Structure formats: C-alpha cells, structure tokens
Amino acid sequence: MKYYQDLREFIHALEANDKLYRIDREINKDTELQPLVRWQFRGLAEKDRRAFLFANVTDSKKRKYQGSVLVSGLAGSADIYCLGVQCKPDEMIDRWKQAVDHPLEPVMVSDGPVTEEIHSGSDLLAHGGFNEFPVPISTPGFDNGPYITAGHWITKDPETGARNMGNYRGLIRGPGLSGLMIGTPQDLSQHWEKCRKMGKPLEVAVAVGAVPSVSYAACQKVPPSMDEMSLAGGLVGEPVQLVKCQTVDLEVPATSEVVFEGIIPTSYLEEEGPFGESMGVIDPRTLSPVLELTCVTHRKDPVWVSIISQVTPSESSKIKAMGMSTLLHRYLQNKGFSSVLEVALTEPLVNLRPYVVLRMKKQNRQEPWEAMHAVLDYGDRVGKFVVTVDEDVNPADPLAVIWAITHRSQPHKDTEIVGNRPFGATPIGMVVNHPTSDYDHEESSLLIDATRKADFPPLSLPKKEYMEQARA
C-alpha cells in the first residue's frame, strides 16, 4: 500500500474509517475549540475518540480565518495513530523496529505544495506572519496566548551539519516573533549553545502539517546520531520528500501545510509561558529563546494542526507512548540485555517517561539491576521509577506490577535510589524554588527489582488452556 502523499490524504482516510468529526459551525479558536476536543479525553473510551476538523474558525474578535484546524488527528487514540502509519495495533512494535533498524534517507525534490504561497522580504508580514493562521489557545483561562503545539522544529548542528527535528511548543508573540520552549537537554538546545559560543544565531524551520510519520518521529526521543527524517521514512517504508527552504540553509517536508523560516538569536532570551503542560500542571513563565521570522510558505487553504496537550490522557501522551517503549527496548537489546522481553511505559504516566517497567527472563541476580541502570543511561528524562518483573507479569497492567512489587520484593534489599537526576519527569522542577516548596534541589530515581528470588509456586490461576476453553 502506497503511503499518504500528504496530510490531506490522511484526513480522508480518517473520515473513511469513521475516525473524524467535521465541524462546520463557527468555532472560536481562543475559547471553544480545544475545550470541545478535551471533553472526549475526560470520559469517552479510547476506542470512541476521533479527530476533529474545524472548517469555520474565528477568534474572540470575530476574525475569520482561511483554511481549517485539525486537533486529535495524529494520536487521539491508538487506532488513529496506527492509521497514520497504515498498520494494525499489533503490528506497531514491528513498525518501530523496522524504522530503527532500517531508516530511509529522505530525498530532495525541486518543488512541493508547501511553496504554493511564499511570503518573504517586504511581503513577509503582509498576510499577518504568524497571525495569518488560526492557532488555537490550548488552555483557555491559563495560557497567555496561542501556541504552536504541532510544530516540528528543524535545525542543524553548526559544527557537523547533522540535522535534528523535534516537536516543541512556541508562543505566538506577534506577527514576526514566536517563543520557543525546548528545555534541556535537547539537540536543538545544544545547537543553540554551539551557535552562542560562535557568536551567531541558529537557523531554524518549523514545519506544521506534514505526513503523520514525520510527526511521530519528531515526537520521539532518539539518539543525536539518528536523523528523525530518516526514521520517519523507515516507519512507513517510503523516504520523506524534502524541499529547500527559501531564506535558511535547511530542508523541510515538501507536502507540509505551513513552514515558518527564521533565526533563533543567541544574544537574548524572553519570558515564555504559562502553558497547560503535558505533565499535568500549568507550566509557569521561564526564560526561553525566540524565533525571528524571515519567511512563511504554505499551501492554499492550509490545514493547521494542533496537538491537544495538558493532563493525561491526552494526544501528547499517546503520540509518545506508541513508539517510546519499542525504542527503549531496542536500546536495551543493543546493550546486550536479550533477557528483557518487553518494555512498558504505562499510560497515562508515559508522557515524560518517568515510569518504566521491564519484563525479564533474568539469567542471574544482578541482571535486573544492570538493565534498570541502562534505562537511566538512555536519557535523563527517562525513568524516575523503574521496575523489573518476571516473564509471567504483564508490565502494561499497573495492578499486576503492584502485585509483583508487593509479593516478590523486599524493600530493604530490592530497592535502590539513584541520586543526582534532573527534574525532567515530573512538575517538581517547576515549583522547587517557589516560596511554598518543601522540595529540595536534588531529583532521584527509584529502582525496584520485583522479580522472583526463589522458586515460587505457580500463580493461583487456572492453567492457560482451561482459561482459553472457557473464553471460547
């Protein structure tokens, strides 16, 4: 099956599979749009969630916008995500394995739909710059403006030329200026720091509305040596088509709906926030870089894509959940941990990867500890709590994991606290300096070996064959 040529083909596929609401009534992007979609994450079963396409978008000043807004269209549910790469849920792990083991280099093309309209030079802000597009306010009542939430920020290492793509939020500050929240450590922040030491700005391009595989790759944490564009190609077995930018030395997906080009100055920072964050609290204001716009390219009547974030369950938690466990599993296998049978990042705790469970067929007493420490080495935002369980425990079932902890571990000898960890996995880092805070300035990780340390009797369940007969 040939992969989607653009986001619009994918939208048709969503509709054909009864996974899309088309909303034609007038919707205020500042007050109504995101809250309407949020309701389906506050009560509907996941299988009943759909993407929303708003075709008649206004703002609080009654301005009408060209084009439409897609929300919950990338990862509103596992079914929507799998449709994005044209596979069944039970094939998703193999798709990510294929992507990691067999990435496909992108190919350059001379032109693409994203350049149907070009605004630069004296024409740069004639159509509104950032304000040309119906960017929603994600958390009305808290957010201080509209945020780019599905923007894939593309930069290059100024020393090596290696490309990086990541998904970050950006506060629209005005027609030609956007904020950028990247946190640390991220490849983009490292590129920025290298440019700062060189005394020059960092060139950037922000792609919105590419094919789903590009979005899925942009949202995953992979080693700096891996090009996310190649990962996206490997995910679907077709290389991503790229076109050259107009004003910066970068390449962007040719069928993107919108691309912003610009520079990120390294000589100053500005306050960014607040924003309803995916970790489940309102992220307060912090000093962050900014993007100074140099060019806008977009398709005619573009589809603006917004990821619904805030407290889990949400689209942002699902888009990270679907690939992260496979990436971490492959990492451990490459480190020699063949005894790790499965990795689970249980939802809804998956969003910043703080809770990791390893299902193992351990070879010796020490192996669970070595595997858990290897999880911490994957990245400093992974693993505030890491648990190992035996092969007879479902790592994706929180009750089963708690059962293993309570019945197969002794806290005085089967737990370890690893200090000097970053505030990456929870909101604590946001409030540690607040006058009301009783937190200190050191974060840590808790490792729990919940595997058997003796020959236990069998689980007190009927044997598998009898359960299967009864089910039939």
Side-chain angles (χ1 to χ4, degrees):
M1 181 185 298
K2 191 167 179 60
Y3 188 56
Y4 308 116
Q5 295 303 293
D6 57 17
L7 179 71
R8 300 179 187 200
E9 278 195 13
F10 175 54
I11 291 173
H12 288 308
L14 287 169
E15 191 162 35
N17 286 271
D18 201 27
K19 291 294 180 184
L20 180 75
Y21 291 116
R22 286 185 180 269
I23 310 297
D24 293 323
R25 57 156 286 192
E26 183 177 289
I27 294 291
N28 185 332
K29 75 174 186 67
D30 296 335
T31 60
E32 298 176 322
L33 192 151
Q34 285 267 11
L36 177 60
V37 182
R38 167 51 63 181
W39 270 111
Q40 73 170 349
F41 291 92
R42 304 307 298 169
L44 283 185
E46 183 178 328
K47 64 181 178 62
D48 297 323
R49 297 178 198 152
R50 298 189 191 182
F52 284 67
L53 186 68
F54 298 94
N56 186 2
V57 182
T58 66
D59 61 17
S60 293
K61 296 180 179 179
K62 291 298 182 180
R63 173 187 170 183
K64 288 189 175 292
Y65 290 84
Q66 293 265 328
S68 54
V69 177
L70 179 71
V71 186
S72 190
L74 295 173
S77 67
D79 289 340
I80 290 173
Y81 186 102
C82 290
L83 191 61
V85 291
Q86 299 174 326
C87 75
K88 299 176 182 177
D90 60 1
E91 299 171 337
M92 199 66 246
I93 289 177
D94 289 335
R95 280 299 187 91
W96 273 106
K97 287 180 179 178
Q98 167 189 298
V100 174
D101 294 341
H102 304 288
L104 281 179
E105 287 286 327
V107 296
M108 294 298 303
V109 294
S110 59
D111 199 6
V114 72
T115 57
E116 286 176 351
E117 292 196 26
I118 301 173
H119 310 308
S120 62
S122 60
D123 184 51
L124 175 61
L125 303 181
H127 297 262
F130 287 113
N131 294 331
E132 179 180 358
F133 307 97
V135 185
I137 292 182
S138 293
T139 325
F142 293 100
D143 293 359
N144 58 334
Y147 281 81
I148 302 169
T149 57
H152 310 327
W153 297 64
I154 301 164
T155 58
K156 286 183 180 178
D157 187 310
E159 295 175 350
T160 67
R163 177 174 48 229
N164 177 72
M165 176 175 64
N167 197 85
Y168 309 106
R169 74 173 195 242
L171 168 65
I172 304 302
R173 295 180 167 279
L177 195 67
S178 165
L180 165 62
M181 168 53 75
I182 45 177
T184 56
Q186 299 286 357
D187 293 338
L188 192 153
S189 60
Q190 293 175 7
H191 294 177
W192 184 89
E193 178 61 19
K194 289 181 179 181
C195 284
R196 187 188 68 81
K197 291 179 179 178
M198 294 177 180
K200 66 177 186 179
L202 175 65
E203 292 188 330
V204 65
V206 186
V208 178
V211 288
S213 63
V214 171
S215 298
Y216 300 159
C219 290
Q220 290 298 347
K221 188 173 181 63
V222 298
S225 59
M226 179 168 288
D227 178 13
E228 287 85 357
M229 292 292 188
S230 298
L231 188 68
L235 196 55
V236 294
E238 290 185 19
V240 177
Q241 294 187 347
L242 302 178
V243 294
K244 291 287 293 182
C245 287
Q246 305 293 311
T247 60
V248 292
D249 184 23
L250 295 166
E251 304 83 34
V252 292
T255 62
S256 301
E257 293 290 325
V258 181
V259 167
F260 302 114
E261 301 176 15
I263 60 168
I264 303 176
T266 55
S267 56
Y268 74 98
L269 303 171
E270 290 193 359
E271 284 192 335
E272 194 268 0
F275 179 77
E277 257 292 356
S278 55
M279 64 184 71
V281 297
I282 302 298
D283 191 359
R285 290 186 178 184
T286 53
L287 287 173
S288 298
V290 297
L291 183 162
E292 295 180 355
L293 195 65
T294 59
C295 182
V296 181
T297 68
H298 64 86
R299 300 189 65 167
K300 295 184 183 302
D301 294 321
V303 179
W304 182 266
V305 181
S306 180
I307 292 175
I308 190 163
S309 194
Q310 300 110 35
V311 68
T312 57
S314 65
E315 186 177 13
S316 58
S317 61
K318 179 60 68 175
I319 203 169
K320 294 173 183 175
M322 295 298 289
M324 187 63 201
S325 59
T326 304
L327 294 174
L328 187 51
H329 190 195
R330 298 299 277 178
Y331 171 81
L332 293 174
Q333 288 185 326
N334 291 337
K335 288 286 186 180
F337 293 101
S338 58
S339 59
V340 176
L341 307 176
E342 187 179 356
V343 176
L345 289 85
T346 305
E347 291 185 90
L349 298 174
V350 71
N351 210 50
L352 288 179
R353 307 109 176 165
Y355 178 58
V356 181
V357 183
L358 310 182
R359 185 169 72 92
M360 299 187 67
K361 191 175 180 64
K362 68 180 183 182
Q363 305 300 312
N364 55 64
R365 181 72 175 85
Q366 190 61 28
E367 195 170 33
W369 297 107
E370 294 171 348
M372 288 189 285
H373 278 277
V375 169
L376 301 187
D377 291 339
Y378 184 85
D380 58 16
R381 288 174 177 256
V382 178
K384 182 169 185 176
F385 296 90
V386 187
V387 184
T388 52
V389 297
D390 293 301
E391 66 273 15
D392 61 342
V393 175
N394 178 4
D397 182 347
L399 288 179
V401 175
I402 292 173
W403 178 88
I405 292 172
T406 54
H407 290 284
R408 291 182 177 177
S409 72
Q410 296 174 291
H412 69 282
K413 62 182 295 186
D414 293 325
T415 61
E416 178 186 354
I417 294 176
V418 180
N420 195 28
R421 300 284 292 165
F423 290 103
T426 69
I428 292 174
M430 297 180 182
V431 299
V432 67
N433 292 316
H434 195 273
T436 63
S437 174
D438 284 330
Y439 295 106
D440 62 29
H441 285 75
E442 181 179 355
E443 184 60 292
S444 55
S445 292
L446 175 64
L447 312 184
I448 304 174
D449 179 4
T451 61
R452 294 180 295 254
K453 286 84 181 180
D455 291 332
F456 270 62
L459 284 175
S460 53
L461 292 170
K463 279 194 171 181
K464 184 178 180 180
E465 59 264 33
Y466 296 102
M467 291 296 291
E468 290 180 344
Q469 288 171 14
R471 185 180 187 179

